Amino acid sequence: MNKNISIAMIPLLAGCTEIPNDMTLEQAFYSAAQFSKASKILTVDNFAKVSGYKKQDQYIAEVSYDIRFISSQQNHTIGKDVRASGLGLYVLSVEYEQYKAGDISSNQQQVIFIKTHAGWKVKA
């Protein structure tokens, strides 16, 4: 009987230790970038997970990616809605001060992913 209880617990424990695979993280990251208000001024490409670990119900990942500006700073006024966008992308756009359309920058940062009923998402 103890053997049956142990076997029955395996799926339960497996669910508790679920971590997202790299493709899931990439899709969640691109989705957050696409729906971010910063998508008006830049795009995100070349996502790669560098490392990561599970912490409670979150997954903390060190990720690298490129940002490509799709408009020049002198042609674009950055409003409060873009400043409040996720992923810290606005901060990166300010860091590059006089960026122009087509400029690309490689970046690495820690991103927190949370498990929702709809799958893994970037924590806003």
Side-chain angles (χ1 to χ4, degrees):
M1 185 169 203
N2 286 341
K3 189 175 186 180
N4 292 337
I5 293 173
S6 297
I7 292 171
M9 293 293 289
I10 290 174
L12 180 62
L13 294 174
C16 294
T17 59
E18 177 188 355
I19 61 170
N21 62 35
D22 291 1
M23 181 61 85
T24 301
L25 295 176
E26 181 175 3
Q27 290 171 344
F29 189 82
Y30 282 139
S31 178
Q34 180 181 10
F35 292 105
S36 163
K37 292 177 179 136
S39 67
K40 296 175 183 177
I41 59 172
L42 54 86
T43 61
V44 178
D45 300 302
N46 302 320
F47 173 91
K49 182 184 91 173
V50 176
S51 63
Y53 60 93
K54 184 149 172 61
K55 183 177 181 180
Q56 298 166 344
D57 62 344
Q58 300 177 341
Y59 188 77
I60 292 87
E62 186 73 21
V63 301
S64 66
Y65 58 93
D66 294 336
I67 58 171
R68 182 174 54 87
F69 292 95
I70 56 177
S71 66
S72 297
Q73 185 179 27
Q74 67 267 18
N75 298 335
H76 194 333
T77 302
I78 299 172
K80 288 183 181 181
D81 59 338
V82 174
R83 289 186 189 110
S85 65
L87 300 177
L89 297 176
Y90 169 73
V91 173
L92 292 172
S93 71
V94 170
E95 183 178 322
Y96 297 102
E97 296 179 13
Q98 294 299 317
Y99 59 85
K100 60 185 181 301
D103 284 354
I104 297 174
S105 174
S106 296
N107 299 280
Q108 187 167 322
Q109 76 180 73
Q110 192 175 74
V111 178
I112 300 171
F113 295 86
I114 56 171
K115 178 75 173 177
T116 70
H117 67 280
W120 290 93
K121 304 287 183 195
V122 172
K123 183 176 181 180

